[in-house]
Amino acid sequence: MTHGAAPDAAAALALDARDPLASFAAEFHHPYDSSGRRMVYLCGHSLGLQPKTAAQYVGQELEDWQRLGVLGHHVAGRPWIRYHEQAAAPLAALVGAGDSEVVAMNSLTVNLHLMMVSFFRPAGDRNRVLIEKSAFPSDRYAVVSQLAFHGLTAAQHLIEIEPRPGERTLRTEDVIRRIEREGPALALVMLPSVQYLTGQSLDLAPVIHAARRAGAVVGLDLAHGIGNTLLSLHDWNVDFAVWCSYKYLNAGPGAIGGCFVHERHAAHIDLPRFCGWWGHDPALRFEMGPEFNPIVGAQGWQLSNPPVLSAAPLLASLDIFRRAGMRRLREKSIALSGFLQQLIEAKLPGLVDIITPRDADARGCQLSLRIARSPAAAKRCHELIEAAGVVADWREPDVLRLAPIPLYNSYSDVFAAVEVLSQAMAR
């Protein structure tokens, strides 16, 4: 996109008037500051806004608990004993999977550990894990601890890929080349679908194909991908994936996470796993037998019954996704992030470096910015825009992340945020 005259507020309003998804913004609670001013919220990549129906969903469960007690497991409006199953179809639609391949359970890192118990099985010289060098810390901690659990070390058995010198994002050909070079030693390739810091959306299909050709298991962290980009986990032939639900899925702080297990593993009931009661065949569960008989599919990795009060807001949000449609949301996301890029390049040329890829197919909602002056100036800039009513976030040492979310952000939100950013830069 070339530099040029920046669109004005009227142009933003005109785009909002033509937006077929504009009405969904009214289905969320937007934060206000102490003076009663509605804030411009561009932080859904960290915590999504609350759907207005979330209180109704949670309230229903509280009411049923009050009215029914333990009977609510079977006769509540949404019976608790099968509560997690209500999320299966909408989650499957978001990740490109069959209903039996997904399950809402636990949290992302718990699910990652459970998956690695089953799918990281080092044997002989095939005992190494490939991750990105800038992986989200919790992912790295989990991988390194799993290596140690098997008596292996990060120094010898962890392969960390990084961008070329002077670049901020990974090149697909470099990832594939490294996989091919390390092939016989690779037990697991563990990557994000969208990199949390740069916002880069990886070109996953060829990378997954290369990893499987090399004989490695493939796992994905979808924390910044689910509800943000279009995913095809089943067709890509991913072995497993994990995600959280409090970012783009708007399920609330610490909300229940989720997991994908490809159906080709469904019948492998002898696959090593950490077992729990809720992963046991429901037809036999209450016979309280000593032998574990896993449910066929992703539900067989469950440990405990679902936290209903945590899962209820997820159902509220998934209903909104169902009505909006992920493809339409992705189209608006591309347009919104492109509008944000256009404004930044026109209003702040040479002052702000967008480290997220320019190609719309190589990013999701988020644009990550570096303020050119210095890390200290960048941090001060974040403080100033927050004081002026724009909610974004800061990642050390020098990255400001802005994410216009297509479900509840408008072109006018984006315009207002860049106006505030320009004023902060001037100060």
Side-chain angles (χ1 to χ4, degrees), residues 142-156:
V143 169
V144 171
S145 66
Q146 288 280 339
L147 286 169
F149 183 75
H150 288 281
L152 306 172
T153 66
Q156 291 185 307

Side-chain angles (χ1 to χ4, degrees), residues 94-222:
L94 290 179
V95 301
D99 293 3
S100 67
E101 293 179 304
V102 300
V103 61
M105 65 179 193
N106 307 317
S107 60
L108 187 154
T109 306
V110 170
N111 290 336
L112 178 54
H113 276 296
L114 292 175
M115 291 298 100
M116 290 189 70
V117 165
S118 294
F119 295 106
F120 175 51
R121 310 300 301 170
D125 293 333
R126 191 177 287 280
N127 56 16
R128 305 184 79 186
V129 181
L130 182 144
I131 66 172
E132 43 142 359
K133 192 173 182 63
S134 298
F136 191 77
S138 192
D139 284 5
R140 192 181 193 281
Y141 303 157
V143 169
V144 171
S145 66
Q146 288 280 339
L147 286 169
F149 183 75
H150 288 281
L152 306 172
T153 66
Q156 291 185 307
H157 302 96
L158 185 64
I159 302 166
E160 296 179 278
I161 56 171
E162 59 185 326
R164 296 181 184 184
E167 298 183 2
R168 295 295 295 255
T169 55
L170 293 167
R171 297 194 186 195
T172 303
E173 62 269 27
D174 291 350
V175 179
I176 291 173
R177 191 175 299 117
R178 188 66 184 273
I179 288 171
E180 292 173 342
R181 185 174 30 159
E182 304 285 352
L186 279 180
L188 172 65
V189 171
M190 179 68 208
L191 293 170
S193 61
V194 176
Q195 213 281 337
Y196 84 98
L197 184 62
T198 67
Q200 179 186 13
S201 179
L202 276 64
D203 186 7
L204 288 170
V207 170
I208 293 164
H209 180 69
R212 298 212 45 83
R213 191 170 60 242
V217 169
V218 180
L220 297 178
D221 176 345
L222 306 181

Side-chain angles (χ1 to χ4, degrees), residues 69-94:
V70 72
L71 300 179
H73 282 96
H74 298 281
V75 298
R78 290 180 289 269
W80 305 330
I81 202 164
R82 304 177 72 89
Y83 204 84
H84 59 285
E85 295 178 10
Q86 298 175 73
L91 286 174
L94 290 179

